[in-house]
Amino acid sequence: MELIGNFSFYDDDDSNETFLDYGAAPCHNQYCPFFQRVAPPFLAVTSAMAMLGTTALLVALAKRPQWLQSRAMVAQLAVGSGLFAVVLPAVAVGIGQGWRLGTALCRLMYLLWYWSLFAQGLLVASGSCGSFWCRWDARSRRLAVAVWALALLLATPAALTSGTAAAPEPSCLRRSVDMLSPVNLLHLGLCFCLFLLLPAALPVAALAVPRWRARWAPDVAASWVFLALWVPHGAALAMELLLHARLLPQSCGTFQHFDYALGLSEALGVLHCCLGPAAVLLAARLCRTAPGTGPSPHGIPIASAP
């Protein structure tokens, strides 16, 4: 389509000639070489840091479970961060060296990517709206199964929209279908709910229901790092939809600036897998060392006896 756009055609009764339109300047987008140069090392380092942080958090939970009130939720968030971190090396190799593992594994990679994200979002939402995760009993185990099963269902459209391309080099594409196709619109709608609607709804719900806010512990508040880091990416996805629907100016500069905005916002979201565990560990340590507080038998901070 870009090549055809640089030609002008005209027909008359005697001829059918094609003339080059030399006045049409092509777009030179510098984002792709920048992305291929920066993304692989960034993803590799982030994955390594995330695995270290997740391991440290799980070890801390095993040694001192009384540190955290919602330790069942925190343990599952650590598992979700670890699952996300495991996928990053495959993404890095696919970007740097091309994807040669086939369409099925490409779709599996994005299924795991979004399964982790939706599971963490549902865990943060459930942990902010009640005391479901204060103990690991039959009710919380059923809730955990429901959360992970629902997250897997919500991640399925992401797997269906992904695919592979053979040219100019083998690659695993996040979107191999039309932007306005039903399955992609479903996927975008679910992403908007996770990245935009949920971060906006939880503070409003906390203001409307004071008893939810009263139950918040430092570990629950620290888990909001996940939502905060992904909000810019949700806004970038909304901008992408508007661009493809031709509701924003269609120019070379607009598309290049959008590519940078989309890539940087996703990089910020990816950091959740290493910053999230670190934030929870920091919150637990601050709560433990705060003067005048101490852990209760159920892991809930209470005032020290005078």
Side-chain angles (χ1 to χ4, degrees):
M1 292 175 65
E2 292 172 353
L3 290 174
I4 293 175
N6 289 335
F7 286 88
S8 60
F9 301 92
Y10 78 89
D11 295 315
D12 58 23
D13 293 338
D14 301 321
S15 65
N16 181 7
E17 301 182 19
T18 302
F19 296 90
L20 283 171
D21 181 6
Y22 290 102
C27 290
H28 296 287
N29 194 330
Q30 302 300 318
Y31 174 74
C32 285
F34 169 80
F35 174 76
Q36 291 179 330
R37 183 176 66 255
V38 173
F42 168 76
L43 294 175
V45 172
T46 302
S47 177
M49 293 178 61
M51 295 304 295
L52 289 175
T54 300
T55 302
L57 180 56
L58 291 175
V59 170
L61 285 174
K63 288 186 174 181
R64 297 180 178 86
Q66 71 277 8
W67 270 16
L68 301 173
Q69 174 181 349
S70 303
R71 51 188 176 273
M73 180 196 73
V74 171
Q76 293 179 83
L77 286 175
V79 172
S81 296
L83 177 63
F84 188 88
V86 167
V87 176
L88 294 183
V91 180
V93 172
I95 294 172
Q97 302 179 12
W99 186 263
R100 295 175 175 82
L101 300 178
T103 302
L105 288 178
C106 172
R107 289 179 172 174
L108 176 62
M109 182 180 70
Y110 280 115
L111 178 67
L112 296 177
W113 176 292
Y114 282 99
W115 187 23
S116 166
L117 293 182
F118 281 112
Q120 292 179 77
L122 292 173
L123 287 167
V124 172
S126 60
S128 302
C129 299
S131 56
F132 306 107
W133 304 113
C134 288
R135 55 181 56 85
W136 187 244
D137 53 13
R139 184 185 69 162
S140 60
R141 284 192 289 270
R142 288 193 298 268
L143 179 60
V145 172
V147 163
W148 286 90
L150 178 59
L152 182 60
L153 180 63
L154 296 177
T156 302
L160 297 177
T161 59
S162 61
T164 56
E169 64 178 14
S171 57
C172 179
L173 304 176
R174 184 186 305 275
R175 180 175 59 83
S176 62
V177 298
D178 185 72
M179 170 62 74
L180 301 180
S181 65
V183 66
N184 191 63
L185 291 177
L186 174 60
H187 169 59
L188 287 177
L190 294 173
C191 288
F192 293 153
C193 292
L194 175 64
F195 299 144
L196 294 177
L197 182 59
L198 183 60
L202 285 181
V204 173
L207 293 175
V209 186
R211 70 175 183 272
W212 288 357
R213 187 171 65 254
R215 291 196 187 105
W216 285 4
D219 51 322
V220 174
S223 66
W224 279 41
V225 169
F226 168 81
L227 297 177
L229 291 175
W230 280 106
V231 167
H233 186 60
L237 289 177
M239 181 180 174
E240 181 182 28
L241 182 61
L242 294 177
L243 275 172
H244 282 269
R246 298 184 178 276
L247 298 177
L248 291 177
Q250 307 286 302
S251 67
C252 293
T254 300
F255 279 104
Q256 177 162 287
H257 293 154
F258 164 73
D259 285 339
Y260 278 100
L262 183 64
L264 293 176
S265 66
E266 188 166 21
L268 183 64
V270 166
L271 289 175
H272 86 273
C273 61
C274 55
L275 296 182
V280 173
L281 283 171
L282 179 61
R285 186 169 184 83
L286 291 176
C287 180
R288 179 170 175 261
T289 59
T293 61
S296 74
H298 299 292
I300 305 175
I302 59 176
S304 301

